[in-house]
Amino acid sequence: MHISIVGTGSALPQKAVSNDDLSRTLDTSDAWIYSRTGIRYRHIAGPEETFATLGEKAARDAMTAAGVRPEEVGLIIAATATAGNVTPSSACLVQARIGVPRAVCFDLNAACSGFLYALRTAEALMRSGVAGTALILGGEILSHFLDWNDRSTCVLFGDAVGAVVLRASEDPDAGDILGTVLAADGSQGACLTGRSDPDNHYLHMDGQQVFRFAVRTVPEVIEEVLRQTKTEKEQVRYYVLHQANARIIDAAARRMQEPLEKFPMNMERTANTSAASIPILLDEMARGGKISRGDRLVLAGFGGGLTWGASVVRW
Ligand code: ACO
């Protein structure tokens, strides 16, 4: 059985905030932020914009692209660390909005690696017969967890939700998830924390420690999944990496001795959107005609937990 990505969608809040906007109230500058991160804008959710409203748009777009009706969806997983609701889950909230009558629905938190954890979970459930069609959402309303007076964190993140539709098929020409490696090391978790305690819920990060972790771990996990799937680097069309920081992606490309052109980036316009970053970039690439049927992509993420992972996908 093949499990292929048959549709993508994404939704960003309306309001875009530039580095220059931030520098009006914060001791920072466009030059500092852009040179260290590659970020110029982030989208910030307004009072009416939630995971559910953005998720609805992303899901509807992905289902339209896939040609899938709500009745066909048997599984919805929402990867998010900032859902805002204890219950109902974000997956159930989106289910109700898009009119899926009956499905297995739950949320999953693996921070910035959440989309890859959700993809692997959905794949395993689909291979075991739970559903033939699944909707995976990755998204965050991170702006609610940022201290807007802390220049070392608030400039880095943005809000968004991305979605993909997966379909199980026996067709030998269908796309597939060829292999995935996931991992976590909770003993390093203290370098990136955020709580649900309303009195103390701001995100804290030791930026340099996370940076060192990412530039070592991302190339390692990619090499591991390439070996596991017997994929040569020449066969990889694109490496779609979590969009935390352009310097991390530059360093990963250099370590892997791969050209930077194979590493698409959009964090300049979105900042780091955690679990949303891979699906929103995939959606942009799919809609921009950058990915063709049969292309091999490597998806790789890393983040809070600490968690990390990589998948090889045939489009
Ligand atoms: N504007 C201006 N100055 C700033 C800002 C800012 N926004 N933020 C920090 N500074 C200052 C600091 O106060 C410090 O000043 P000092 O030398 O007077 O004390 C100076 O800049 C250097 O600070 P560092 O933290 O050492 O800056 P660094 O060069 O390490 O860059 C950064 C910080 C961009 C966060 C970097 O460490 C990084 O990219 N880390 C990776 C973080 C990341 O990508 N996290 C997300 C991944 S995990 C996930 O996605 C959830």
Side-chain angles (χ1 to χ4, degrees):
M1 185 192 284
H2 307 290
I3 308 291
S4 48
I5 297 176
V6 291
T8 61
S10 58
L12 293 165
Q14 270 193 335
K15 185 177 172 193
V17 176
S18 69
N19 293 345
D20 288 330
D21 293 335
L22 290 179
S23 69
R24 282 193 258 285
T25 53
L26 209 57
D27 181 14
T28 188
S29 65
D30 177 59
W32 193 97
I33 300 170
Y34 187 71
S35 65
R36 280 182 171 72
T37 66
I39 293 165
R40 278 226 154 89
Y41 294 90
R42 70 284 297 141
H43 287 253
I44 302 299
E48 306 298 322
E49 291 171 314
T50 62
F51 188 104
T53 66
L54 298 173
E56 176 183 358
K57 180 193 177 292
R60 285 190 189 279
D61 288 354
M63 287 163 62
T64 302
V68 157
R69 286 173 289 110
E71 308 80 71
E72 295 174 68
V73 175
L75 168 67
I76 303 177
I77 305 178
T80 181
T82 56
N85 258 37
V86 174
T87 191
S89 67
S90 297
C92 285
L93 292 173
V94 172
Q95 177 201 11
R97 284 175 170 267
I98 61 178
V100 168
R102 183 188 159 133
V104 176
C105 298
F106 61 95
D107 290 0
L108 173 161
N109 177 355
C112 307
S113 312
F115 179 74
L116 287 171
Y117 271 66
L119 193 70
R120 180 70 185 98
T121 304
E123 182 205 351
L125 289 173
M126 292 171 84
R127 289 199 197 279
S128 69
V130 168
T133 302
L135 175 68
I136 309 300
L137 298 131
E140 310 286 357
I141 309 296
L142 268 161
S143 58
H144 293 176
F145 294 83
L146 297 173
D147 177 352
W148 289 95
N149 296 311
D150 175 9
R151 65 180 184 173
S152 70
T153 51
C154 75
V155 304
L156 303 173
F157 298 98
D159 300 331
V161 180
V164 301
V165 173
L166 298 178
R167 191 149 42 201
S169 153
E170 303 287 350
D171 176 359
D173 294 330
D176 208 353
I177 299 168
L178 302 177
T180 301
V181 175
L182 298 176
D185 177 3
S187 73
Q188 293 191 66
C191 69
L192 181 46
T193 59
R195 293 179 219 281
S196 48
D197 173 358
D199 296 325
N200 179 19
H201 65 289
Y202 292 139
L203 207 74
H204 294 283
M205 180 172 69
D206 179 336
Q208 293 193 1
Q209 197 182 333
V210 175
F211 193 93
R212 283 194 298 274
F213 153 75
V215 298
R216 190 188 66 248
T217 310
V218 172
E220 277 175 12
V221 73
I222 291 176
E223 299 282 358
E224 191 178 341
V225 80
L226 291 178
R227 277 196 305 279
Q228 189 197 93
T229 57
K230 298 186 172 41
T231 300
E232 300 297 328
K233 285 182 185 155
E234 300 72 54
Q235 294 174 276
V236 177
R237 181 85 200 274
Y238 291 112
Y239 296 92
V240 182
L241 268 47
H242 169 46
Q243 302 286 297
N245 184 314
R247 282 163 58 223
I248 291 175
I249 296 181
D250 279 359
R254 252 181 289 118
R255 280 196 186 204
M256 292 167 52
Q257 301 186 314
E258 282 283 79
L260 201 53
E261 297 73 58
K262 288 172 82 170
F263 294 75
M265 294 189 226
N266 68 354
M267 83 284 281
E268 179 169 347
R269 284 167 281 117
T270 64
N272 177 350
T273 59
S274 184
S277 81
I278 293 175
I280 66 176
L281 180 54
L282 278 179
D283 184 46
E284 202 176 299
M285 294 167 69
R287 284 173 198 277
K290 281 189 104 174
I291 324 175
S292 310
R293 219 175 142 81
D295 280 349
R296 246 175 226 225
L297 309 181
V298 173
L299 316 180
F302 60 92
L306 296 175
T307 56
W308 63 97
S311 291
V312 178
V313 165
R314 188 176 64 223
W315 201 255

